[in-house]
Amino acid sequence: MCGIVGAIGNIAIAKYLLKGLQRLEYRGYDSAGIALMDKLGDIHVTKVAGKIANLIPLVDQSVEAVSGIGHTRWATHGPANTENAHPHLSASGRFAIVHNGVIDNYKELKERYLSDVEFLSDTDTEVVANLIDRFVSDNKEDELEGLRKALRLLEGSYALGIIDRKHPERLYAAKEKSPLLVGVADEGHIICSDAMAGISVTKAYLLIQDGDLAILTADDVRIENLSGEVVEREMQRFDEEDSDLDKGLYPYYMLKEIEEQPSVLRHITSLYQEGLEDLPQVLKELEKAETIYMVASGTSYHASCLAKRWFEQILNKRVEAHIASEFTYEMPVISQKPFFIFLSQSGETADSRHALVKVKAAGYPSLTITNVKGSTLAREASYSLPLLAGREVAVASTKAYIAQLAVMAYLVYALKGELPDLLKGLKQVEVAMERLLSQKEAIRDVVKENLLDTRNAFYIGRGLDYLTAMENALKLKEISYLQVESFAAGELKHGTIALIEDGTPVIAIVTQAHLAKQTRSNLEEVRARGGRSLTISSSDLALEGDTVVVDAVPMRLRPFLSVVVGQLIAYYTALEKGYNVDQPRNLAKSVTVE
Ligand code: AGP
């Protein structure tokens, strides 16, 4: 999952490319590069391993660019070095391209059509650049058909930005499964993987579709399918302000987004009460479904597991929660009258999107709940509902998770006819969360005393606390690089307790009254073996010596608070270790490859 940008026209090209890439760095930051086209048709490529900050000083700002493309990379083929960084030039130097996605058949294409070409990198992208060069150069009477022919041969996923020194007046963009938008501005046109990268230039975007080829000039945009027929695409406005995307006085986006969570809850409850386009029909679909299938990845999968429990406990509704990458290739037995829910912050996760393609092919109804309107999953499901969390930039998802819980709780309680109870409970959660956040430095002390001298740790819990333990473990491991496992507290003694050594931190979550005694007993078993026990508890269940105590809100809503403790534990552990909290190693915010 990389980020790509491009621009053509009377726009400050280099400035837009570099700022746009900084806005997209969350999508991958192994290497970065830009290619500038000047009016003579010369292409100036600058690229470097590492972050965009390494690239900026190397760019020749004196180039009077008429167009350009840029890329920030999350490595899929070949190591994160300068040779593999994008943009890639074709061997003749005629084309420069940037690519987000994976070309599954690049080796076959290389052998069949490009055996005479000397390659400089290990990437599938360089194969695409040379395939385009080959077919366009062989198709002199209709170069665009040559470009379409090359694209038709590609199998897999791509979002491409392409510049051609023989046509400096053009910028090409093509899309298949990977996200790409075409921005329309007065001064020219842009492309970007995410509107966040472009809203400093324009808020109006054409939602190009899979199989589209867009031909952009300074004054015009033409979109064709790969048969060469012109197609019309929907225009979408994104209303965020570029300034909203800054982290302000916060040291990291993650802390800003953790602290925004109470207001996210307020925003969701008020806008959902006002009513949303698909909401009434979604409630009807949920009502009549015999089984609800929730399909997601990572943090969104954890939110799905918790929502499943609420559906079961509050509505006695049968729900299954599935990991998207598993579901797609080994679909479970699907009941009569199924209904599918896809939770996804980005709306672009390839694993989830692939599952949705199969669900749609089977003719099943589906709902996407996502934080990015106009995203692929939002557009391709039968229905979509917004998370309303505001842009989430930190790779570790926090406010989107809270928003997923809030939206799912809203649906469940609305179906139960008990929305007033939920709204009252969420009001208590907001107040308790604000209080917890005001005491966040106490959690920093807990981290300093217990988590900086260890390579591993455990989260344990039962029931809803176990599901929160799953999310808290992911948060901690993905930004602090500790080996952290979540475990059903009662299951630990069936083998995994063998891993407990002197000082191994085990964090128990104790917020569910009917399970508190059992979880504490499991924690005793850990202590008896030298483990270092920490406890996150609700005040009505707290015992002397508990590590972090949160206010007692309605039992089923307590995960809203215990997960924030886990977010802060993760944040401070990474901070104290000196790691980049927002951009942890090996990760990216939107995983648009399988
Ligand atoms: C969350 O902290 C992780 N970065 C990751 O697990 C994420 O939740 C997962 O990739 C799913 O992303 P999505 O919600 O955008 O589909």
Side-chain angles (χ1 to χ4, degrees):
M1 39 296 175
C2 312
I4 70 175
V5 289
I8 188 163
N10 188 22
I11 294 168
I13 304 285
K15 179 169 173 271
Y16 160 65
L17 296 179
L18 293 171
K19 180 174 172 89
L21 287 179
Q22 285 174 310
R23 288 279 185 238
L24 293 178
E25 204 163 32
Y26 70 89
R27 300 177 62 84
Y29 27 87
D30 293 330
S31 63
I34 67 169
L36 299 174
M37 173 80 78
D38 66 27
K39 50 182 176 294
L40 303 175
D42 286 331
I43 297 178
H44 307 257
V45 176
T46 314
K47 54 188 190 177
V48 66
K51 296 187 186 305
I52 289 136
N54 303 348
L55 174 70
I56 294 172
L58 304 178
V59 173
D60 179 356
Q61 302 280 355
S62 68
V63 172
E64 290 181 30
V66 296
S67 66
I69 50 179
H71 185 275
T72 183
R73 182 174 183 240
W74 186 79
T76 54
H77 291 80
N81 57 25
T82 304
E83 293 71 30
N84 290 330
H86 302 211
H88 285 283
L89 285 170
S90 59
S92 72
R94 176 175 174 181
F95 290 91
I97 81 168
V98 290
H99 168 221
N100 172 22
V102 176
I103 304 302
D104 299 328
N105 64 336
Y106 81 101
K107 287 199 171 84
E108 297 88 330
L109 294 170
K110 190 172 177 176
E111 283 155 24
R112 180 166 178 197
Y113 297 102
L114 305 167
S115 55
D116 58 334
V117 174
E118 190 183 331
F119 285 86
L120 306 177
S121 78
D122 315 318
T123 65
D124 52 349
T125 307
E126 194 183 1
V127 170
V128 176
N130 283 287
L131 196 72
I132 289 170
D133 194 326
R134 176 60 47 85
F135 280 87
V136 170
S137 307
D138 290 355
N139 239 326
K140 289 186 178 39
E141 70 284 354
D142 184 352
E143 292 187 331
L144 267 183
E145 175 50 25
L147 175 54
R148 289 193 292 266
K149 195 172 168 188
L151 294 174
R152 288 196 295 264
L153 287 171
L154 304 181
E155 293 170 12
S157 58
Y158 59 78
L160 294 170
I162 306 164
I163 51 177
D164 173 2
R165 18 188 339 172
K166 283 202 172 167
H167 293 284
E169 77 286 358
R170 285 181 197 164
L171 167 65
Y172 300 111
K175 172 187 175 351
E176 180 62 33
K177 295 182 186 166
S178 295
L180 191 61
L181 296 167
V182 172
V184 179
D186 297 337
E187 312 81 1
H189 296 94
I190 62 171
I191 60 173
C192 48
S193 303
D194 179 329
M196 264 175 49
I199 53 174
S200 61
V201 173
T202 178
K203 295 185 179 178
Y205 291 85
L206 287 164
L207 303 182
I208 59 173
Q209 306 288 321
D210 291 350
D212 284 358
L213 168 62
I215 299 103
L216 287 69
T217 65
D219 311 313
D220 179 51
V221 177
R222 191 171 79 249
I223 304 172
E224 301 176 351
N225 59 25
L226 292 186
S227 308
E229 295 146 350
V230 174
V231 292
E232 293 302 318
R233 292 299 178 229
E234 182 194 343
M235 179 74 85
Q236 170 120 33
R237 275 194 66 79
F238 289 83
D239 298 325
E240 283 104 338
E241 293 304 328
D242 190 53
S243 56
D244 293 346
L245 303 175
D246 291 322
K247 54 182 185 259
L249 298 176
Y250 287 94
Y252 286 105
Y253 281 102
M254 184 176 177
L255 185 59
K256 171 173 178 277
E257 290 156 7
I258 289 171
E259 297 217 335
E260 287 172 346
Q261 294 178 123
S263 63
V264 166
L265 290 177
R266 282 190 287 276
H267 193 47
I268 288 168
T269 47
S270 61
L271 264 74
Y272 270 71
Q273 284 180 88
E274 281 172 24
L276 293 158
E277 188 181 351
D278 283 355
L279 188 54
Q281 190 53 37
V282 163
L283 290 171
K284 287 195 188 95
E285 292 276 9
L286 290 171
E287 183 88 63
K288 73 181 185 187
E290 184 183 301
T291 305
I292 295 167
Y293 296 86
M294 300 190 73
V295 183
S297 307
T299 284
S300 299
Y301 169 68
H302 296 154
S304 303
C305 293
L306 214 143
K308 162 187 159 66
R309 204 56 65 82
W310 282 335
F311 270 108
E312 292 166 341
Q313 293 173 352
I314 298 167
L315 291 170
N316 194 35
K317 194 92 181 170
R318 186 179 298 111
V319 179
E320 294 183 14
H322 291 274
I323 290 173
S325 55
E326 288 296 305
F327 176 89
T328 302
Y329 295 98
E330 301 214 338
M331 277 180 82
V333 174
I334 304 296
S335 77
Q336 297 302 315
K337 294 193 288 181
F339 186 73
F340 286 80
I341 299 178
F342 290 83
L343 295 188
S344 176
Q345 189 287 130
S346 64
E348 298 297 346
T349 298
D351 290 327
S352 303
R353 197 270 174 123
H354 197 158
L356 178 53
V357 166
K358 297 207 62 168
V359 162
K360 281 179 70 177
Y364 298 138
S366 56
L367 161 68
T368 288
I369 304 175
T370 183
N371 205 29
V372 181
K373 71 177 180 180
S375 60
T376 302
L377 281 156
R379 294 204 307 263
E380 296 190 351
S382 319
Y383 307 99
S384 73
L385 288 173
L387 282 178
L388 303 170
R391 284 291 182 181
E392 186 177 71
V393 177
V395 165
S397 186
T398 51
K399 63 177 182 174
Y401 176 80
I402 286 289
Q404 289 169 341
L405 296 192
V407 170
M408 292 313 301
Y410 190 94
L411 296 176
V412 171
Y413 279 82
L415 286 168
K416 184 72 178 175
E418 293 180 359
L419 264 183
D421 288 354
L422 174 66
L423 298 174
K424 185 162 156 272
L426 285 178
K427 199 81 204 119
Q428 294 172 47
V429 166
E430 285 166 36
V431 172
M433 202 182 278
E434 295 281 12
R435 218 158 79 79
L436 169 59
L437 291 166
S438 69
Q439 298 162 355
K440 59 182 180 288
E441 285 300 320
I443 292 178
R444 184 173 201 164
D445 295 338
V446 169
V447 164
K448 289 160 109 172
E449 285 158 33
N450 296 287
L451 290 172
L452 299 184
D453 58 351
T454 181
R455 275 295 304 138
N456 67 340
F458 286 83
Y459 268 99
I460 64 171
R462 287 173 178 249
L464 298 184
D465 289 336
Y466 169 46
L467 304 178
T468 303
M470 289 162 63
E471 173 56 17
N472 285 0
L474 174 62
K475 235 20 34 121
L476 181 54
K477 78 176 86 170
E478 70 176 328
I479 65 174
S480 75
Y481 316 142
L482 288 189
Q483 178 77 36
V484 189
E485 282 191 67
S486 57
F487 239 89
E491 182 63 7
L492 202 60
K493 58 187 177 295
H494 298 288
T496 301
I497 202 165
L499 296 180
I500 302 299
E501 299 170 339
D502 273 352
T504 303
V506 178
I507 307 169
I509 302 173
V510 184
T511 73
Q512 302 298 298
H514 65 299
L515 297 166
K517 188 162 126 320
Q518 292 83 341
T519 301
R520 289 192 184 274
S521 153
N522 300 137
L523 200 54
E524 273 311 310
E525 293 156 6
V526 165
R527 256 202 292 273
R529 289 158 178 80
R532 187 187 326 178
S533 65
L534 295 92
T535 311
I536 301 169
S537 58
S538 296
S539 55
D540 57 342
L541 303 171
L543 298 181
E544 183 64 32
D546 281 357
T547 317
V548 181
V549 179
V550 296
D551 290 353
V553 296
M555 201 66 69
R556 289 199 178 103
L557 304 182
R558 294 182 177 187
F560 281 97
L561 297 177
S562 48
V563 78
V564 173
V565 177
Q567 294 166 355
L568 291 168
I569 285 173
Y571 174 78
Y572 284 119
T573 305
L575 192 69
E576 288 294 325
K577 285 172 168 284
Y579 296 148
N580 184 327
V581 174
D582 287 338
Q583 297 174 355
R585 69 186 184 199
N586 303 344
L587 295 181
K589 181 67 179 171
S590 174
V591 185
T592 55
V593 291
E594 284 202 43

